[in-house]
Amino acid sequence: FNSINKTVEVIMSAGYTLKGSDESISYVEEFLDNIGTRGGYTEWMSLLETIFTHQCIYGRAFNEIIYNAKQTKIMDLDFVDPKKIDYAKNMSNRIALDKYSNPLGYVLSLPYMEMTGDLKSDPVPSQVYLNTNQIFLKPERLAHYKLYTLGDGFYGIGLVEPIYKTANRKLKMEEALANVYMRTGFPTRMALVGDKFHEPTLEMLQRATEELEKSTYRSVFATPYCNEVKILEANK
């Protein structure tokens, strides 16, 4: 959590510079200033920070590209949850590719009771298989940013994935060590109730258990002479 946030803070603190002709820079600056006002809900700097955060966590980030009504001009951008987006797959669960080996598009998966909002499904190619809670999006509907890539480069790798197993092992070791300290520093108490002259009853056992539970917060307590109180300690 801290490493992701610190990485994003460092990236954001560097700022950015637009290079190009005065006309192109002015056009881009105007577009960025209006992000979140023409169909999206996130202003530019928050959107930029979200992109970097998603890249660090998931290895990839997505923006919905919002067009005008005629689908001829880009009007706005907004972020999409990377957990809900994947490449469109075929019946064999492989990425559906065109003749140039580029993905045919993306699939947005939503809970069955959740509305898709402004995102409407594009015509589905014959190679693409969809579940009932999925919609198909053409590649030009999304901007896809990756942090690191390996192999064919379809999937990005973030900062979490390489250390996930190591982090899990570390957490399990910490939990195991805490249990060891609990056992050695606060050993289990037990009582042998009664002897051959005093047959223990269920009530006597329950009363002894209650007294032992209370002993955690007390330095002394009394018990009949026929009861023997012990603690279970580790040998080493």
Side-chain angles (χ1 to χ4, degrees):
F1 179 82
N2 290 332
S3 63
I4 295 296
N5 286 340
K6 185 58 64 177
T7 300
V8 174
E9 286 177 11
V10 170
I11 295 173
M12 292 295 294
S13 68
Y16 62 86
T17 302
L18 297 175
K19 293 184 178 182
S21 66
D22 293 341
E23 182 181 1
S24 62
I25 290 176
S26 176
Y27 177 85
V28 172
E29 285 179 339
E30 181 184 2
F31 176 79
L32 298 181
D33 289 340
N34 286 284
I35 283 182
T37 64
R38 297 175 175 176
Y41 300 95
T42 310
E43 61 92 20
W44 167 236
M45 294 307 294
S46 295
L47 182 64
L48 186 62
E49 184 175 357
T50 301
I51 290 171
F52 292 134
T53 302
H54 285 174
Q55 282 181 295
C56 290
I57 297 174
Y58 304 106
R60 58 193 182 275
F62 295 94
N63 284 162
E64 176 193 0
I65 301 175
I66 301 172
Y67 293 88
N68 59 359
K70 294 182 179 180
Q71 301 292 300
T72 57
K73 183 179 179 181
I74 296 175
M75 302 299 296
D76 210 340
L77 299 173
D78 208 349
F79 73 87
V80 182
D81 187 350
K83 296 191 299 296
K84 298 179 180 179
I85 293 288
D86 196 3
Y87 290 107
K89 305 287 183 66
N90 56 27
M91 289 291 292
S92 302
N93 201 34
R94 295 182 177 180
I95 298 176
L97 304 175
D98 61 18
K99 61 181 181 180
Y100 302 108
S101 296
N102 294 319
L104 287 176
Y106 299 92
V107 166
L108 176 65
S109 301
L110 295 172
Y112 286 96
M113 300 302 293
E114 185 175 323
M115 299 299 292
T116 58
D118 296 331
L119 281 174
K120 304 299 181 182
S121 183
D122 293 320
V124 183
S126 58
Q127 307 98 302
V128 173
Y129 172 78
L130 293 180
N131 291 322
T132 55
N133 67 321
Q134 295 177 328
I135 63 173
F136 173 77
L137 301 174
K138 295 186 294 185
E140 54 265 30
R141 295 281 298 277
L142 294 174
H144 186 181
Y145 318 97
K146 304 166 191 173
L147 189 62
Y148 300 109
T149 58
L150 288 175
D152 54 26
F154 286 123
Y155 287 99
I157 299 174
L159 303 183
V160 176
E161 185 176 349
I163 65 168
Y164 180 74
K165 291 183 179 179
T166 302
N168 269 347
R169 285 194 292 267
K170 182 175 182 293
L171 289 174
K172 290 178 180 177
M173 287 299 297
E174 288 179 350
E175 182 181 358
L177 191 59
N179 288 331
V180 169
Y181 284 140
M182 286 295 294
R183 291 300 183 192
T184 56
F186 306 92
T188 302
R189 293 166 297 279
M190 65 173 293
L192 302 178
V193 181
D195 55 23
K196 61 182 180 180
F197 302 109
H198 303 83
E199 185 72 21
T201 64
L202 180 60
E203 182 182 357
M204 292 169 61
L205 291 172
Q206 290 175 339
R207 190 181 307 151
T209 301
E210 292 172 358
E211 289 297 318
L212 288 178
E213 288 175 347
K214 295 176 184 177
S215 69
T216 303
Y217 310 101
R218 287 159 32 182
S219 58
V220 296
F221 67 97
T223 183
Y225 71 88
C226 57
N227 295 343
E228 182 181 356
V229 180
K230 297 182 175 181
I231 58 173
L232 298 178
E233 295 182 291
N235 292 331
K236 297 183 180 179

